[in-house]
Amino acid sequence: MGQAVLKEAEAKVVALPAAKAQVVSLPAAAGKPLSARLSPWLKSVLVNLLPPLLTVALILLFWQIAASGPQSSLPPPTKIWDEAKDLITEPFYSAGTQDIGLGWRILVSLQRVAIGFGLAAVVGVLLGALIGQSVWAMRGLDPVFQVLRTVPPLAWLPLSLAAFRDSQPSAIFVIFITAIWPVIINTAVGIRNIPQDYRNVAQVLRLNQVEFFFKIMVPSAAPYIFTGLRIGVGLSWLAIVAAEMLTGGVGIGFFIWDAWNSSRLSDIIVALVYIGVVGFILDRLVAFIGSVVTRGTAAN
């Protein structure tokens, strides 16, 4: 009986067909078109470059119209290009001791700035750290520095010429004495603003003065220090141009003074453009170094 029921059930079983697996191929990831990839870059370029380019174009247009009249005492841009084209297109030509391009003159001035500003940076940071760390040093030195920093840079030039008896160290001294004050003041402010927790950690770790300076003071005050350095490098570039007008040589400042004596206004205007561009590059360079050192905490 049982075997008959089992055979009857097996006879009723219907064999189902095996299910076929279907492989669905995903479409290949299509790369972004070139226009889509260039769009952010083009947008960034347009946002950053288009406004200043339009501003410069409008200034040149207004200048051209205003200086084209017969009563104008300044040359228009077209006349400047005709008279000083060689200074613009060949900045590194050399035909003698004084007959050199503006590029070489800029490099001579930058060499003086590098020495004077470098000394001001080192001495300024050390003195600023001393003033910021010591109450007695602040009371004794800060009033003196506040008085000396108000002296115009060129007022130091006769004294430096009398002391060094040479134009080269005299110009470097003027740069040094001009750039050091913002470095000292900003460094001192940064040192005084170090959190007390950092000082407590230094006491717990028993750091000596040298270790405290390099591991606590300088990293904490770095944003303030680089702010002072940016101000100082700008003042250095201003001071060297003014000092070279009086000390002579082959720098960019003496070139402007010589061009004035020769009534070459076009050469003066071209030199001023060079000075402005180089000053902007120096400021951006110090700001970039500060951003790298302080990991973006320094002001840009």
Side-chain angles (χ1 to χ4, degrees):
M1 182 67 180
Q3 293 180 354
V5 172
L6 181 60
K7 290 181 179 180
E8 184 179 358
E10 290 177 354
K12 292 181 179 180
V13 173
V14 179
L16 296 176
K20 294 182 179 180
Q22 295 182 353
V23 179
V24 180
S25 60
L26 298 176
K32 292 184 178 179
L34 181 62
S35 58
R37 285 180 291 178
L38 290 179
S39 296
W41 181 81
L42 290 175
K43 183 178 179 180
S44 176
V45 171
L46 292 177
V47 168
N48 293 307
L49 293 182
L50 190 58
L53 290 178
L54 290 177
T55 302
V56 172
L58 291 175
I59 292 174
L60 292 176
L61 179 61
F62 176 78
W63 183 2
Q64 178 69 32
I65 296 174
S68 296
Q71 302 298 327
S72 177
S73 58
L74 293 177
T78 53
K79 186 178 180 180
I80 294 173
W81 174 258
D82 294 335
E83 296 179 349
K85 180 171 60 176
D86 293 340
L87 295 176
I88 301 173
T89 59
E90 299 180 10
F92 290 100
Y93 80 88
S94 179
T97 304
Q98 286 292 340
D99 189 11
I100 58 177
L102 288 182
W104 295 117
R105 297 182 183 274
I106 291 288
L107 290 179
V108 172
S109 299
L110 284 175
Q111 182 181 8
R112 294 170 177 168
V113 169
I115 298 173
F117 175 70
L119 292 174
V122 174
V123 177
V125 170
L126 293 177
L127 287 177
L130 177 63
I131 295 174
Q133 187 69 9
S134 173
V135 176
W136 288 104
M138 181 183 66
R139 292 176 180 175
L141 296 176
D142 186 66
V144 177
F145 290 163
Q146 293 297 336
V147 172
L148 293 179
R149 74 182 184 90
T150 61
V151 178
L154 290 184
W156 295 98
L157 188 57
L159 187 63
S160 63
L161 287 171
F164 297 107
R165 299 181 183 274
D166 189 8
S167 60
Q168 178 78 357
S170 299
I172 292 175
F173 174 78
V174 170
I175 297 169
F176 169 82
I177 205 69
T178 303
I180 194 171
W181 309 122
V183 180
I184 291 176
I185 294 173
N186 282 273
T187 302
V189 173
I191 296 300
R192 286 198 293 266
N193 287 332
I194 294 178
Q196 186 60 40
D197 293 342
Y198 293 0
R199 300 180 185 274
N200 296 336
V201 171
Q203 292 178 355
V204 171
L205 298 177
R206 296 181 180 180
L207 300 180
N208 56 39
Q209 292 298 325
V210 176
E211 293 174 335
F212 180 73
F213 177 79
F214 285 104
K215 295 183 178 181
I216 302 295
M217 294 173 64
V218 172
S220 300
Y224 294 90
I225 294 174
F226 277 96
T227 299
L229 292 177
R230 288 185 64 183
I231 299 173
V233 75
L235 294 177
S236 299
W237 190 235
L238 295 176
I240 187 58
V241 173
E244 287 176 346
M245 288 184 179
L246 302 179
T247 58
V250 295
I252 189 65
F254 177 74
F255 174 83
I256 293 177
W257 187 249
D258 183 65
W260 165 252
N261 291 328
S262 303
S263 300
R264 303 194 310 268
L265 294 181
S266 297
D267 292 359
I268 295 175
I269 294 174
V270 173
L272 292 179
V273 174
Y274 271 84
I275 291 172
V277 172
V278 173
F280 174 78
I281 293 174
L282 289 176
D283 178 78
R284 292 288 90 193
L285 179 61
V286 176
F288 173 75
I289 296 174
S291 178
V292 172
V293 173
T294 63
R295 298 179 181 179
T297 58
N300 292 323

